[in-house]
């Protein structure tokens, strides 16, 4: 199984600022994803991070708000831009091999926006 | 109707009891079924993985899939306080299709 390191583990931010979350996988994986988990709710897929090209965003999520980078097969970042209290959530990085169904998660970033 | 339905609980059972957690789904294309365990302030941890119908056992955990009823279950035998967590079911049709998650069931094992 892939080991995924994510940082920061938590942060408290002011409204209007941006936060970049980093995700490092210990092996080369084909697919990386970013999820959001709001209190008491399940996981919502934000986007698929594609290596060397623009991320693929799910309905309701846009690049201007959640820019994503993936410069290589083991690293990705998610930025939460111009934050508002509604962005307070847990953000999770995940990864899997292509055509393999097992999805592994990082430990998450708990974000609070004041 | 959600694609995947899961009772959010909370569910409290005494230590040593058998726990049954369930999900129903509507998409008949789903073939891959997973259970994740998520402790407070941690990311989900893959617990069980099953392809198509049938049972899979791993220690105290048994996963069951009934595709004809579109119903999956996770059984925990001899439950321990360390099993207290939120359990999420997840499923996909395969072929790089995204996983669809249930809302999670919060489980507490009472010593």
């Amino acid at each position: 199984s892939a080991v995924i390191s994510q940082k920061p583990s938590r942060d408290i931010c002011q409204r209007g600022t941006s936060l970049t979350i980093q995700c490092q996988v210990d092996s080369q994986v084909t697919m990386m994803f970013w999820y959001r988990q709001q209190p008491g709710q399940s996981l919502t897929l934000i986007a698929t991070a594609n290596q060397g090209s623009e991320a693929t965003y799910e309905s309701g999520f846009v690049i201007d708000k959640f820019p994503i980078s993936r410069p290589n097969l083991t690293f990705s970042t998610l930025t939460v831009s111009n934050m508002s209290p509604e962005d307070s959530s847990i953000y999770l990085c995940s990864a899997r091999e292509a055509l393999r169904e097992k999805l592994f998660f990082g430990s998450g970033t708990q974000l609070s926006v004041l | 109707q959600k694609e995947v339905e899961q009772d959010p609980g909370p569910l409290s059972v005494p230590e040593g009891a058998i726990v049954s957690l369930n999900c129903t789904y509507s998409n008949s294309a789903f073939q891959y079924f997973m259970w994740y365990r998520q402790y407070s302030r941690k990311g989900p941890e893959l617990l069980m993985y099953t392809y198509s119908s049938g049972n899979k056992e791993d220690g105290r955990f048994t996963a069951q899939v009934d595709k004809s009823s579109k119903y999956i279950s996770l059984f925990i035998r001899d439950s321990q306080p360390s099993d207290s967590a939120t359990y999420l079911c997840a499923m996909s049709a395969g072929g790089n299709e995204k996983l669809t998650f249930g809302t999670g069931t919060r489980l507490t094992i009472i010593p």
Side-chain angles (χ1 to χ4, degrees):
Chain A
S1 64
V3 176
I4 302 174
S5 302
Q6 190 175 334
K7 59 181 182 181
S9 59
R10 60 192 308 143
D11 208 341
I12 301 172
C13 300
Q14 296 297 319
R15 181 195 300 258
T17 62
S18 298
L19 176 72
T20 295
I21 303 168
Q22 297 182 5
C23 178
Q24 178 75 53
V25 187
D26 70 342
S27 59
Q28 292 189 344
V29 290
T30 305
M31 306 193 77
M32 294 182 73
F33 308 88
W34 288 96
Y35 283 83
R36 182 172 73 183
Q37 187 177 30
Q38 295 185 306
Q41 297 189 24
S42 189
L43 281 70
T44 300
L45 181 62
I46 297 172
T48 302
N50 301 309
Q51 189 214 352
S53 64
E54 195 171 284
T56 304
Y57 289 85
E58 296 297 307
S59 175
F61 297 96
V62 296
I63 187 171
D64 290 345
K65 177 67 176 176
F66 298 101
I68 289 171
S69 77
R70 189 179 173 191
N72 56 50
L73 287 175
T74 64
F75 186 79
S76 179
T77 66
L78 167 74
T79 299
V80 186
S81 303
N82 189 25
M83 288 184 285
S84 66
E86 292 71 35
D87 295 319
S88 297
S89 186
I90 298 173
Y91 292 86
L92 292 155
C93 172
S94 65
R96 71 176 188 193
E97 293 291 335
L99 300 182
R100 300 286 180 101
E101 305 310 316
K102 294 182 181 180
L103 185 67
F104 300 98
F105 286 88
S107 55
T109 297
Q110 182 150 4
L111 171 63
S112 297
V113 183
L114 305 178
Chain B
Q1 182 190 7
K2 293 181 180 178
E3 265 193 308
V4 178
E5 298 276 0
Q6 183 176 10
D7 187 339
L11 178 63
S12 296
V13 300
E15 183 176 354
I18 297 175
V19 176
S20 173
L21 304 168
N22 311 292
C23 288
T24 59
Y25 62 94
S26 58
N27 188 344
S28 58
F30 287 150
Q31 298 187 77
Y32 298 88
F33 304 91
M34 279 152 269
W35 286 95
Y36 286 85
R37 178 175 62 194
Q38 186 175 23
Y39 291 114
S40 181
R41 297 180 181 156
K42 297 288 186 182
E45 169 195 10
L46 181 61
L47 197 59
M48 298 290 284
Y49 167 81
T50 311
Y51 170 70
S52 193
S53 285
N55 293 358
K56 185 173 183 179
E57 187 174 321
D58 184 0
R60 296 184 295 111
F61 299 90
T62 300
Q64 285 187 354
V65 175
D66 181 349
K67 290 187 68 180
S68 63
S69 301
K70 297 188 180 65
Y71 188 88
I72 70 171
S73 300
L74 177 70
F75 297 96
I76 307 174
R77 292 184 300 280
D78 187 24
S79 55
Q80 304 294 311
S82 59
D83 296 326
S84 298
T86 296
Y87 290 80
L88 299 119
C89 63
M91 48 199 80
S92 80
N96 288 338
E97 288 292 310
K98 66 179 183 180
L99 276 183
T100 301
F101 286 85
T103 52
T105 300
R106 181 178 292 182
L107 172 67
T108 300
I109 307 299
I110 303 167

